[in-house]
Amino acid sequence: MSRLHVTNDYVLELNNVYHAGQMEASTCLEKMVGNSSVGVVLKDVSVEVHGGELMAVLGSKGSGKKTLLDVIARRAQGPTRGQILLNGVPMSMRLFQDSCAYVGRKCHLLEGLTTKQTLYYAAHLTIGSKVSSYVKSTRVKQVMADLALIHVANHGVHSLNQSEYRRLAIGIQLLRDPVVILLDEPTGDLDPLHTYMVVSILSNHAKKYNRIVVLSTEKPRSDIFPFLDRVTYLCLGDVVYTGATRMMLDYFRHLGFPCPELENPLMFYLCLSTVDRRSQERFLESSNQIAALVDKFRMDGRPFRKCAVSYADHVMETEHRLPLTAYGRPTTTQVLTNLMSREWAVLWNCGSPIGRSQFFLRLLLLPVFFFLLWIFYYELPLNQQSYASRNGLLYSCLAATMFLSVASTVAVHPALRTRYYQESRDGFYFGPSFILARSLASLPLSVATVAAASAIIYFGMPMSTNPFQYLLFGSTLWAVHYFMEQQTMALLMLVKSSFNAALTSLFLGIVYLNVGSAMVRAVPGLPDYLYYLTYVTQSRYAAAVLNEQHFRNFSSLPSVLNSTLSIPCPSGTTFSNYGCRYSNGTHYLMERYHLTHPPYDDDLRFWLNFGLNFLFTGAMFFANIILHIVPLPAFVKSKFRG
């Protein structure tokens, strides 16, 4: 595999690049369906930019600006022809991820972190293990200083304004000190003052560290003109001009298009490079004029494209240094550790609204609900009604564990998932590392919340005082909780809408409960196809464990009429004059399950069901890992692209 040779000068070259891909949707039907026609998006594009230079790619909407950046980054969908070289080395996705960076138009950061925390974890996820923690911390401080973020270092990401948020997103990519950084519309949503600030910072970064910076913009302002070393004008995929900014005015003046004295030259020549669609006559006239400009530059533009910007024009002396990307990537263990630490940092950041809500959802919601169940079921009757009441209590515990696990997951996971999609495209880490870190980080939290909730029910009610029985009860519920969490994360991998993913996961949970638990409908009463379907539902095994644990050795209880006299029901009686339905717990289980012969364990094999309950949880976890390894179809991935 080709690697970039470290040098004091870097050159990014595009030679005769063509790219075919999806065109912009032009009809209402295409916009509704989400499909558009395929065509040539870039046509014979040749560009050159050197270290220490800031180049702006200018063009109207649909001109091919973003596609050009995607082609350089090897992200574009569709065939590409031509050469893309970095210091003479063909650009591959691996080379780009190792030595370059890309800042998309949309960047979603974790709002529960502070600015400093965001950069700290990004540094430990991207800078190689050979670099010491001290150097990484120093790099974080340097980036905050370069991007004017020192004053908001301890502010939550949720409280940053648009400019600070955008600079923080840029800072995450600058931490690795990439040789080339591409930015898609970095000033698109900023006011003039902050636009000037961001462009000046990027220009300063290019010259100070001898790096290549390429940005796209649709509405360039005149005050950023001095910061642009090169410009590239695109019109419908064709290059109208590319080269040094200081030579642009002379070039177009020589062609008979001088810029008026008080006009913004960047915008003036952008309008010249844009098709006028206000009328058919203007459309034809502007199209012919642009075609002539494209042909002219294709024949005579090589000297302008190859002309290097004089280093005498730089406002400061360039620092030639080894980029941090040369030190490789962190180890898998470091990536897992930092992903877990970052997730916990959001949870324990109680000064943030996101942190407080996650703390409640992930640790307190289930115990609070179980406390309400304890209030409702506190005085369990010691008569025949106890069978139905205990069945209702166990069903409520099982259902609450499933449904609240879904609720907490859809509240927490989407932000982490979106961040994963963006960071994995940058090569920070990949699917298995993400889902493994998510599962490990969630493990102690789910254990803690289920343990607390189970203790409220088990020790707060006349269930049992045996700690071992409490462990069986809590571990059974935890397996269900973790299974539903993994299932919901798997659905969120495919479905962007949290609401739709939650509804789907809840629907599946309801099916599991009503079909397989034997708490709503007795197993013997199920049709054969539903009975065999219960074998592939986790609730069958979890409910069987809970039912057998609490009813197998249940002693005879008096009827409602005889409860005050404490007269037990005679053995084997059902709906007798005594008002008894169940003579004991085994008699109750015989009604709910297939129990035909002693020791009545056709459907109730306690330890087998206990093990299968955990087997389902493990199987869902490994299925989630596989789902994050297998490449997803393009139409699924496109939902999450920024």
Side-chain angles (χ1 to χ4, degrees), residues 39 52 160 273 349 438 593:
L160 301 180
S273 306
N349 188 6
R438 277 285 292 118
Y593 293 95

Side-chain angles (χ1 to χ4, degrees), residues 76 120 123 125 174 212 225 304 472 555 609:
Y120 170 84
L125 285 171
L174 293 184
I212 297 172
F225 184 86
F304 298 92
L472 291 176
S555 60
N609 290 331

Side-chain angles (χ1 to χ4, degrees), residues 28-44:
C28 294
L29 180 60
E30 288 179 346
K31 293 178 180 179
M32 290 171 55
V33 175
N35 286 329
S36 55
S37 58
V38 177
V40 180
V41 185
L42 297 179
K43 310 166 189 175
D44 196 15

